[in-house]
Amino acid sequence: MLHHVEIYVADLEKSRLFWSELLELLSYELYQTWSGGFSYKYEDTYLVFVQTEEKFLADGYHRKRIGLNHLAFHGGSKERVDFFRDKLKAAGVNLLYEDRYPFAGGENHYAVFFEDPDKMKVEICTEVTT
């Protein structure tokens, strides 16, 4: 079982605004806060967000480099995935693969894909049975 994932971010406050609302809608609860980061927990797993040190900011993040490609969260139902898509779109979040929504992940995979403030890909999905 996964214990936690730690993600370094370019702008802690931008990330806090983005991730806090999203994770709370996904039933995560604020777990820890400190001057250089924060975390959200769901059951026994938590996500940690930490401000990247200035000297490491220059190269930025890109999901196609070695390392984390994206985080995917259970959406629960097609309606719930649609709810997230509508909310993200209204907030001006960059949605990915819009031309293939909601089946960009395959015919049995109903999902919305989008980017966080550092352009990390995030997915909220549910499986579709035929």
Side-chain angles (χ1 to χ4, degrees), residues 87-112:
K87 190 157 188 59
L88 292 160
K89 196 171 202 173
V93 172
N94 186 39
L95 300 179
L96 303 172
Y97 322 123
E98 272 291 272
D99 59 323
R100 295 182 279 153
Y101 179 81
F103 297 109
E107 63 184 38
N108 294 323
H109 191 76
Y110 197 98
V112 59

Side-chain angles (χ1 to χ4, degrees), residues 6 12-13 16 31-39 48-51:
E6 187 166 320
L12 186 62
E13 288 314 308
R16 187 185 317 266
Y31 181 52
Q32 302 162 313
T33 61
W34 63 99
S35 62
F38 63 97
S39 68
V48 182
F49 300 87
V50 178
Q51 176 62 54

Side-chain angles (χ1 to χ4, degrees), residues 2 5 7 19 47 61-73 96-97 105 109 111-116 119-125:
L2 185 65
V5 173
I7 301 166
W19 284 102
L47 297 171
Y61 167 83
H62 197 287
R63 67 179 174 265
K64 295 200 176 184
R65 291 188 188 124
I66 294 170
L68 181 69
N69 176 268
H70 73 283
L71 293 173
F73 297 91
L96 303 172
Y97 322 123
H109 191 76
V112 59
F113 296 86
F114 52 98
E115 291 179 329
D116 85 338
K119 301 201 177 300
M120 181 171 60
K121 183 166 61 172
V122 183
E123 172 185 356
I124 299 176
C125 60

Side-chain angles (χ1 to χ4, degrees), residues 24-55:
E24 287 170 12
L25 288 170
L26 288 165
S27 299
Y28 282 74
E29 295 181 359
L30 184 62
Y31 181 52
Q32 302 162 313
T33 61
W34 63 99
S35 62
F38 63 97
S39 68
Y40 272 83
K41 187 172 186 176
Y42 180 79
E43 295 181 355
D44 293 330
T45 304
Y46 59 101
L47 297 171
V48 182
F49 300 87
V50 178
Q51 176 62 54
T52 301
E53 293 178 45
E54 186 73 32
K55 63 184 176 182

Side-chain angles (χ1 to χ4, degrees), residues 65-84:
R65 291 188 188 124
I66 294 170
L68 181 69
N69 176 268
H70 73 283
L71 293 173
F73 297 91
H74 291 283
S77 68
K78 293 191 306 186
E79 293 77 19
R80 189 88 168 128
V81 171
D82 291 339
F83 163 81
F84 279 103

